[in-house]
Amino acid sequence: MTTHRIRVGIDVGGTFTDAVAVDATTLSLLGQVKVPTSHHHEDGVAHGIVEALDRLLQQVGRDPADVAFLAHGTTQATNALLEGDVATVGLIGIGTGPGAVLTRRLAALGRLELAPGKRLPLAYAHVADPDDTSAVRAAVEQVTAAGAEVLVATEPFAVDRPEGEQSVLEAARSAGLPMTAAHEITSLYGLHKRTRTAVVNAAILPRMLATADLVDASITKAGITAPLMVMRCDGGVMALDEMRRRPLLTVLSGPAAGVAGALMQERISEGVFLETGGTSTDISVVRRGKVAVRHATMLGKSSYLNALDVRTVGVGGGSMVRVDLPRGDHGRADESRADQSSGDQTRGGQSRGGGRARVTAVGPRSAHIAGLPYACFADPAELRDATLATVRPMPDDPADYAVLDAAGGRYALTMTCAANALGRVPEGDFARCDQEVAKAAIAPLAAALGVDVPTAAARILDAGAEQVKSVVDRIVRDYRLDADTAVLVGGGGGAATVTPHLAVLTGMEGRIARHNEVISPIGVALALVREQIERIIPGATQEQILAVRAEAEQAVVAQGAAADGVEVEVTVDPQTSTVRAIATGATELRTQDRSHSADDTERLAAAAASLKTAPDRVRVLAGTPAHTVYGTEVRRRLRAPRHPVRVVDADGVVRLHASDAQVAATTVGAAPELLSNLVREATSYGDGGVRAPALRLLLGSRIADLSGVLEPQPLLALARSEMRDRAADEPVVAVVEVRS
């Protein structure tokens, strides 16, 4: 029997550090452990990472040599910024004349607020000539005397002329401090935003360097030879050396780990991922098989940090129910933290004047913050003689949060209680409890509402899910998700409390991810090496676009990605003249176990379901060894018929869909001429200029997405680059969509 190597993902949270082992071939979950996050240990969070790894290897019976891939995600950078626990930055501005005016204004970055009453610690010094070594050293002495622990050099137009920033760093090297140049963090224009991004990166640099060194040393000591990777905020991973250079990329990486897990494990091609914890739900989007990323807002300002587009709603599994009770008897405020959900109380039921209670909202306060147990997890005997009351969980909260006062004490009524009462939590789920106990917990509220228990539970879930629905509706509109194929996928320990009911409200297909409670460390374990290169190039030529593509590809290969498996997506934005290349690749070529691959009938059924039509109306249009292309025809009155297309992989998962496309099968040798004709025929011309079609190529196991390029000639040049070094007789399929 062959023992496959394993991929290990470790997610360092604020309270717990979770670790999982995943079979490197089948990608199935082999084991999982949870240990307290070691914030206060002398080695910091590194100690918890190593402890989790040791326990995990023992649990699955593997040796360090069996680890093929090891990555961890951490909230350390995010927490450092939120708590204001950062290093003092020495900012050295460069320039003369008008340039000096611009850089001197950057001293105002010291007014950025990290936390209430705590500003970004920054010392500024200026040099006119970056090649004047004595002036640079004097500037370094000035900022270090003011407490600087890390240095940043910045100069106008350093994106095009980086020599000045490089000269300053070279002259400052003798100071022995960590240092960086603004152009090294981002190559986009905009002196203020570029410098702000570099300064925030520098503020967390010393702390993250210390952690990186500890983790690296600990992993090496443990006998792990696989390269250590770190989760990025855009859903990929990067090498430890890259994290040492740009630790800012780990900010906001927590939500990115969850959606990366859903993308890789659940194989979503179009949909919304909802990661629900005890207090909140993080909502992100997958569009055409890719996570949605945008420039993040940090410290209240926009930045050049590319991070997952995640939107957070204060509704989770532990969110407490809020009710409007008729005014009846009033209990006095409790003073003890044992019932810290204290404050004004109102006994439930009908008042002397009649009237019924009503559910007004759910959250944002959770049972965890209130210090109360969930009513549905109590023993039946503990809920004996339960009466309904309303309280203030915290002193400044309104006194309308529902609790039960019962024989066993005080309990919170939560979204989890309602979901269990309706049987929405599946067997084996982290949030599952005895349904009868959940019904007993809801019963006092149902009596106050004057309805039965299922209706009361549904009203609770309505109140919570409606808050999430408004954000989901907006994100579906923002990204123009395909309503025919978009799905809701729930992750996190509280997934069953939000996603199933939201699916009912929206009419969308909904499901809970496998192993939803550890979807984040699974995402870390399965994530691909990722790098994004952005350049502002007015009137970019084919050669310049290909150069940006090559730079992104080389960057992920340098971090350990197998060159043969790298995929690069290129986008050219004519409005901003931005050329963007996103490269992804695995640290080893993964040959997945295909013993459970879908057969022809299953793949056809998946395509038909996605196309919303009967299987006998679906045709196979083309295929490669890894993908099959299906299509149908939709006739429309007084208009030309539409030809929707679905690309299904060997596992029976829809990986690509197009609402109206042309499909052409050829070989690599014949493709250039065919593609040239297809692109010419499908290019549209109008007031907005030339718009080449959206082109995707099925090559081997890959789907090369070239839809981000609007000019015909660069598009064809990129297509040729995708096919270089491939055999002339290798099959290739083109999926072409005309842009309106």
Side-chain angles (χ1 to χ4, degrees), residues 101 106 168 201 245 347 364 408 421 473 565 620 644:
V101 175
L106 297 173
V168 167
N201 180 79
R245 188 171 74 90
R347 294 296 174 189
D473 288 344
V620 175

Side-chain angles (χ1 to χ4, degrees), residues 306 532-535 548 569-572 578-582:
N306 291 297
Q532 177 166 316
I533 302 297
E534 290 181 304
R535 297 281 185 271
V548 174
E569 177 189 0
V570 178
T571 303
V572 180
T578 302
V579 180
R580 180 181 301 109
I582 303 172

